[in-house]
Amino acid sequence: MPLLGFGTWQAHGESAHRSVMAALEAGYRLIDTATAYGNEDLVGQAIADSGVPREDIFVTTKLPAERIGREQRTIGESLRMLGIDQLDLWLIHWPPSRGNLVDIWRTMIEIRDAGQTRTIGVSNYSLGQIDELIAATGEAPAVNQIKWGPRLYDEALVQGHRERGVALEGYSPFKTTRLGDPALTTIADAHNVTPAQVVVRWHIQHGIVVIPKSVTPARIRSNADVFGFELTDDEMSSIDAMGH
Ligand SMILES: NC(=O)c1ccc[n+]([C@@H]2O[C@H](COP(=O)([O-])OP(=O)(O)OC[C@H]3O[C@@H](n4cnc5c(N)ncnc54)[C@H](OP(=O)(O)O)[C@@H]3O)[C@@H](O)[C@H]2O)c1
């Protein structure tokens, strides 16, 4: 799974198609969408139009928890709209508020075993909820996608995911961050990059998957242009400290 991905929530219509095309052109190789975003067809069209081979792109979509009992139909619709035969990752978007956590997880496992998705995971789950899934089925989610950023940094949560073999994927890296915070602008100036690039780079150096969203071509490119500098240990620690 690539550490850098592209988010598509609130990208609609022509701008969803255009931004995914721009992201693939800029080098992103993970695209994150969801049934609930209502843009899988546009994302799929952009993947097809991009000319990037399907096998080079890691495609994630998500099952709304209220589709319990309609999992099979939902993944079928996602695949059809995305124009692909198999997902790379299918997530449960939120823990279900009705029914139990384990039933929907068992269905996800069956669907994964039937080959419609390479891997399965969860989103917005606590470690306790993940433990419930592992205890009942012996299968940990491949990924937990949760809200993450410097101000939400929590070493114990990072460690907890690592111990369970669950990849941590962060969402809303910018919405959870004050990009004008001097703790970030000072580091950005030292590397001649933007605070947004520092935030993306910080995730990657921690081994945490990051999926920034933008519909603005210049931002799409610059958010991915994070492989030409490296944060020092002191800089990483001072960004971590924003979470305390
Ligand atoms: N699993 C879940 O429950 C869940 C929840 C939320 C999000 N997600 C996923 O995570 C992705 C990212 O999260 P997000 O969309 O909530 O928020 P985000 O990526 O933190 O922030 C997106 C916002 O930041 C702006 N932005 C982008 N690049 C910028 C830059 N370089 N400088 C300043 N502003 C910049 C964007 O504006 P423009 O677009 O106008 O450029 C947009 O308003 C989503 O798109 C979605 O795929 C998942």
Side-chain angles (χ1 to χ4, degrees):
M1 178 178 194
L3 284 173
L4 174 67
F6 186 69
T8 66
W9 182 36
Q10 296 170 325
H12 299 293
E14 183 48 32
S15 81
H17 180 265
R18 220 176 324 112
S19 61
V20 173
M21 291 280 282
L24 290 168
E25 167 91 38
Y28 297 79
R29 288 294 179 269
L30 183 169
I31 307 292
D32 182 83
T33 181
T35 291
Y37 299 170
N39 61 13
E40 287 172 308
D41 52 344
L42 296 151
V43 169
Q45 195 56 54
I47 289 172
D49 293 345
S50 70
V52 177
R54 162 68 189 100
E55 61 272 20
D56 292 352
I57 307 174
F58 189 99
V59 181
T60 303
T61 192
K62 312 186 193 83
L63 169 74
E66 59 275 15
R67 298 273 183 119
I68 286 183
R70 288 178 290 156
E71 295 89 345
Q72 185 61 61
R73 199 163 91 205
T74 305
I75 195 169
E77 284 166 8
S78 290
L79 290 170
R80 185 177 49 75
M81 285 203 275
L82 286 161
I84 59 180
D85 300 329
Q86 187 186 44
L87 298 174
D88 295 290
L89 175 63
W90 196 36
L91 301 175
I92 306 175
H93 207 146
W94 292 91
S97 55
R98 61 175 181 86
N100 80 47
L101 291 178
V102 173
D103 290 346
I104 190 167
W105 185 237
R106 283 194 206 285
T107 307
M108 301 270 293
I109 292 171
E110 279 168 28
I111 289 176
R112 191 263 331 266
D113 290 348
Q116 284 175 296
T117 180
R118 285 205 299 133
T119 60
I120 50 176
V122 296
S123 179
N124 301 300
Y125 275 50
S126 67
L127 290 177
Q129 289 170 321
I130 289 173
D131 284 341
E132 226 183 287
L133 305 185
I134 297 172
T137 66
E139 282 240 24
V143 171
N144 187 21
Q145 186 183 109
I146 56 176
K147 196 186 279 187
W148 198 254
R151 290 165 75 159
L152 298 172
Y153 182 72
D154 177 348
E155 174 58 31
L157 206 47
V158 174
Q159 203 47 41
H161 282 84
R162 205 162 283 150
E163 283 162 5
R164 289 161 179 79
V166 179
L168 205 168
E169 179 173 33
Y171 71 71
S172 299
F174 305 142
K175 285 184 189 162
T176 58
T177 306
R178 197 162 59 84
L179 291 173
D181 190 318
L184 291 173
T185 55
T186 309
I187 295 171
D189 290 347
H191 292 277
N192 203 16
V193 297
T194 65
Q197 287 171 306
V198 169
V199 169
V200 173
R201 179 76 203 184
W202 170 81
H203 283 77
I204 291 171
Q205 283 188 219
H206 267 305
I208 293 172
V209 181
V210 59
I211 48 172
K213 170 266 179 185
S214 176
V215 293
T216 314
R219 287 173 170 177
I220 292 171
R221 286 191 295 274
S222 86
N223 294 342
D225 184 12
V226 294
F227 298 99
F229 69 102
E230 190 169 348
L231 301 172
T232 65
D233 291 347
D234 284 351
E235 289 168 339
M236 289 293 289
S237 302
S238 71
I239 301 170
D240 294 353
M242 292 171 74
H244 300 148

